[in-house]
Amino acid sequence: MDSFDKKISANEKTNRPDRVIPAIEFRDVHLSFDDKKVLDGVSFTVRRGETKLILGRSGGGKSTTIRLVLGLLKPDSGQILIDGEDITNYSEAQMMDVRQKIGMVFQEGALFDSLSVYENVAYRLHEQGVEEEEVESEVRRMLQFVDLEDAIEKMPSELSGGMRRRVGIARALVGDPKIVLFDEPTAGLDPPTARTICELAIKLRDLEDVSSIFVTHEMQNLGYLCSEYATVDNDGQVIFEQEGEKLCLINTEVIMFRDGKIIFSGKDEELRRSDDRFIQRFINGR
Amino acid sequence: MNPFLRFLSELQDITLMIWSVLVGLTKSPRYFKEMFQQMDLIGVGSIPIILLTGFFTGGVLTLQSYPTLAYYGGQSETGMLVTSTLIRELGPVLTALMVAGRIGSAISAELGSMVVSQQIDAMRALGTDPIRKLVTPRIIALLLMAPLLTVTADIFGIMGGAIAGNQIYGHDYNVFINSMRNGIEIEHIIGGMIKPIAFGFIIGVISCHKGLGTTGGTVGVGRSTTNAVVLSSIVVIIADFFLSRVIQTVLVTRY
């Protein structure tokens, strides 16, 4: 009994800080290219299991934020923390380890043209020298998740835009990263395909406990991600339900960028109620 | 930025790239599969054009020099002239220029389009260093393939020279071969092998640097491809002059 108690308290010790330390934290980050200020004192946190929607006009610093998380760019000043680890001054070699726990979905998918869908999704595992049998089952599992198992032998050039994004998502999810970054994953897609991509993001958030940043400028996505949640019904099927009187989603928040500054941070309901001219124009298009 | 500063910053980028290639060689992962793929693409893939270039260059050398030599009564030395010109100068330089055109452009276009379609970023995001995965195999493949292609060009050039002499001027093959043997010294061959190694390095470094530095979408890919070919060709020709002088001084040759 004693040892059982010990086990529990040890577990609590290791688990609790895990939930408290944010997955991603920006502290007063500044960045300029030549004379243009891209980020001007940006601070925010993404908690565990939370999805942060970043809204803003094109060129407003949204994608830059994501690139900073991955260390593809370095800030001029300020701090960036991943799982409580200050990565601001990490070298490229040190960043390689950090990147192992982050999945990134690029705007157009950014699939490797010279590799098949299978090799694209398996890329990370092949690099790690994982055995082929294990690679194959993992790749199939991931392609099943994005519902693209039939495309396994195809080359990226044979895929439609939406399929490329989904393969991109499958590739990002290999190795079950606990942080996933989406860089405008629905830009230029038809509404049903965009919806599918959002559903994947919702599934990751609600069923896999993934923390994510979802950069977008489409208000439709905001509606899906902030008001629907995924759950599993009695038959084991994943279903999507609307938040309502009884349940309000608290694991999704919105921040809005304008000229490198955060002008709004909070729930989607607050965003829609805001009387800021810029925000209203963004929501209504006029 | 003024041109001089731009030149300095490019030089710095190139030096840093070479440094990371060298550092990357000392530890794993090493990408042998990519290296062999590139060797096939660069080496085997270039054989047809190198063969044609070499053959007709040798031919035209005989075509143009035979009458002049005959004027002085020295037509029996055609073999020596053609061979030593090919081995010392034209073989390495023409091979390098053909490789710059065919491979340099391909490398910078491929890497450039990977940059603009975010594939390089994706590679870094997935935990792979693009220098090790893409740049190192290409540079090493060029270092190894350029001398081999040069030898091919030399051999087919000599054949072209002998055939042109025989068919056009009725020059005997045996005379050609005899004078060729007298004309070649081991120093010439060594010098002729050092040059393509240096040229392969120049082409690889410049093309990779231009490709990875691509900005501005698809137009940028075209621009960096052009820059890669033009710059590596010019640098090859300039380096050839200085290399020739160094080889002449270090490996003392009789003529």
Side-chain angles (χ1 to χ4, degrees), chain A residues 1-64:
Chain A
M1 194 65 199
D2 226 25
S3 72
F4 183 69
D5 280 347
K6 232 184 238 166
K7 224 179 234 169
I8 286 185
S9 66
N11 256 338
E12 276 182 349
K13 250 182 215 159
T14 49
N15 276 341
R16 198 184 288 140
D18 251 30
R19 304 281 340 162
V20 175
I21 296 170
I24 302 169
E25 187 173 0
F26 272 51
R27 290 183 188 159
D28 195 28
V29 171
H30 291 258
L31 178 70
S32 355
F33 295 137
D34 296 327
D35 295 332
K36 193 176 174 286
K37 270 188 186 165
V38 184
L39 293 182
D40 191 5
V42 168
S43 303
F44 67 89
T45 57
V46 180
R47 290 169 289 142
R48 303 263 154 171
E50 184 189 28
T51 293
K52 209 83 177 190
L53 269 150
I54 302 188
L55 296 175
R57 285 212 181 136
S58 308
K62 306 188 304 283
S63 301
T64 312

Side-chain angles (χ1 to χ4, degrees), chain B residues 209-228:
Chain B
H209 167 71
K210 286 289 172 195
L212 287 178
T214 302
T215 50
T218 37
V219 183
V221 176
R223 197 168 41 225
S224 51
T225 308
T226 313
N227 286 345

